Amino acid sequence: MKENSPDFNIGKVPIHGDLILAPMDGITDQPFRGICRKLGSAMSVTEFINALDVLTDHPRYHHRLAFEPFHRPLSLQMLGDEVNQILRATEELLPNVTPDAIDINLGCQSKNVTSRGAGAALMREPHKIAAIFKQMTEAFNLPVTGKIRLGWDNDHLNYLEVAKTIQDNGGAMVAVHGRTRKQAYRGKARWEPIREVKDALAIPVIGNGDIKTVSDIQQIKAETGCDAVMIGRAAVGNPWIFSRMDREDVPLASAYQVILEHFHAMLDFYGERGVITFRKYLKAYLKPYRLPREEMLSLLKSKDPEFVKAAIQQIFLNLGMQ
């Protein structure tokens, strides 16, 4: 095999690597996607873009589309409950965004999303999924993918039907989160269904759910045969997992460097609001060090970027960073 051969392809898009940052609402913004891409995530997927926001020109979606050239391959994730709505919104976005692929959100479990029939609620209507993939693949010269759950609940486990529907209507890849919508993120993810989907499909299948360590990566690949692994919540606080490093193995100097780079990227992207927006990441980054509660609260309450930078540096010096 040639050294530069891709690990797999999504349609005609070569993917070099088998670890991918999962899209997460309010988490996988441009700065965080950039950090994870540099550390080894094989591609970038935008936060979901609500088709209704695009069609009504709501200002909140524009930031969610931002990306840097090095983020590619880039997948544009669309959210909606009606095919015409998703089609029109995508047509409006493509000239400016120019993604390498389009992803249809079929897994979001948020009540705000599912109550309008979008996200994981679409899994209750496979005929709609068929129409969305058929028309999207016919309308755009781009691979169209889907991220699904196992079903609405344990009484409606239709992951195989939905995965086959995606493939039969032109879909180029399926990512499977091993939980139902009712589970949300509770309980243990089931990997056996991912193996069933992989065995049933000819297109690439991505495994997702409860991948927290390098050992988990190896285990899910061995158990499911999936083409790649999608990592979500565990990457917050440990983006080094895309370099196949567990958090406890990250040297202090490397942790400090990435945290500071992420913080500067947040300030560049959000302006002064970046200090506040960075708090959720900073808390996760520093969690392994078990800092005194008062020290952590002081850091997380500050709106002064210079104070935050100085405090982070001092924390790592106190931890023994050379």
Side-chain angles (χ1 to χ4, degrees):
M1 183 180 287
K2 295 181 180 178
E3 188 178 340
N4 62 349
S5 296
D7 288 68
F8 64 102
N9 292 279
I10 298 176
K12 295 181 180 179
V13 179
I15 306 298
H16 295 270
D18 63 350
L19 303 179
I20 300 169
L21 173 65
M24 293 176 284
D25 185 32
I27 298 292
T28 51
D29 57 8
Q30 177 187 323
F32 190 56
R33 290 200 307 271
I35 290 293
C36 293
R37 187 74 178 93
K38 286 180 181 179
L39 287 170
S41 176
M43 64 181 294
S44 305
V45 187
T46 66
E47 296 174 85
F48 69 68
I49 307 299
N50 188 332
L52 288 177
D53 285 348
V54 178
L55 298 176
T56 59
D57 197 27
H58 195 291
R60 68 185 162 205
Y61 81 85
H62 296 279
H63 258 55
R64 299 163 78 91
L65 289 169
F67 71 97
E68 299 285 347
F70 75 88
H71 290 189
R72 292 186 183 279
L74 177 76
S75 180
L76 172 66
Q77 189 186 68
M78 298 300 298
L79 177 96
D81 61 308
E82 294 293 343
V83 61
N84 289 336
Q85 175 192 98
I86 299 172
L87 269 172
R88 287 167 50 216
T90 306
E91 284 173 350
E92 192 168 318
L93 292 175
L94 285 192
N96 294 320
V97 183
T98 62
D100 301 291
I102 302 166
D103 187 66
I104 306 300
N105 185 315
L106 304 170
C108 183
Q109 50 78 39
S110 167
K111 188 175 181 180
N112 289 339
V113 168
T114 58
S115 63
R116 53 168 280 211
L122 280 170
M123 292 197 67
R124 296 193 290 186
E125 300 185 85
H127 65 284
K128 271 193 178 182
I129 294 173
I132 289 169
F133 276 83
K134 185 175 190 299
Q135 294 191 42
M136 291 287 285
T137 54
E138 289 175 354
F140 306 111
N141 188 30
L142 291 170
V144 182
T145 68
K147 185 168 187 285
I148 70 174
R149 285 180 172 255
L150 300 185
W152 185 256
D153 55 30
N154 282 332
D155 294 325
H156 301 86
L157 299 175
N158 63 340
Y159 52 91
L160 265 182
E161 178 190 3
V162 169
K164 289 177 181 177
T165 296
I166 289 171
Q167 176 176 268
D168 291 348
N169 288 278
M173 182 271 280
V174 175
V176 185
H177 182 159
R179 288 183 174 89
T180 64
R181 185 270 168 185
K182 187 175 181 180
Q183 274 184 279
Y185 296 102
R186 297 181 299 273
K188 184 174 174 57
R190 294 171 54 202
W191 293 349
E192 301 93 335
I194 301 172
R195 162 61 75 179
E196 291 179 53
V197 173
K198 175 61 185 170
D199 289 346
L201 300 190
I203 59 177
V205 173
I206 314 300
N208 175 233
D210 283 351
I211 296 98
K212 302 172 184 175
T213 66
V214 174
S215 175
D216 293 336
I217 294 168
Q218 297 164 347
Q219 188 176 349
I220 192 173
K221 291 200 76 179
E223 289 186 14
T224 69
C226 61
D227 298 275
V229 177
M230 193 167 265
I231 304 170
R233 290 172 297 160
V236 183
N238 184 24
W240 298 272
I241 196 167
F242 297 108
S243 300
R244 280 182 160 77
M245 291 182 71
D246 289 325
R247 185 63 178 85
E248 59 267 25
D249 298 327
V250 178
L252 287 172
S254 298
Y256 174 68
Q257 179 184 1
V258 168
I259 291 169
L260 213 58
E261 180 183 350
H262 192 176
F263 186 46
H264 284 141
M266 296 290 282
L267 294 175
D268 289 343
F269 189 64
Y270 291 106
E272 60 183 23
R273 188 164 62 91
V275 180
I276 297 170
T277 310
F278 187 61
R279 289 173 181 169
K280 57 179 173 267
Y281 304 101
L282 183 57
K283 184 178 180 181
Y285 280 133
L286 298 178
K287 184 178 180 181
Y289 306 126
R290 299 183 179 181
L291 302 176
R293 185 172 181 273
E294 289 305 317
E295 183 178 1
M296 182 68 89
L297 283 176
S298 171
L299 183 55
L300 296 179
K301 285 180 179 178
S302 177
K303 296 181 181 179
D304 180 356
E306 295 306 317
F307 171 84
V308 172
K309 281 190 280 188
I312 294 171
Q313 182 182 41
Q314 191 59 54
I315 285 168
F316 277 89
L317 289 173
N318 291 344
L319 289 167
M321 180 180 71
Q322 301 296 314

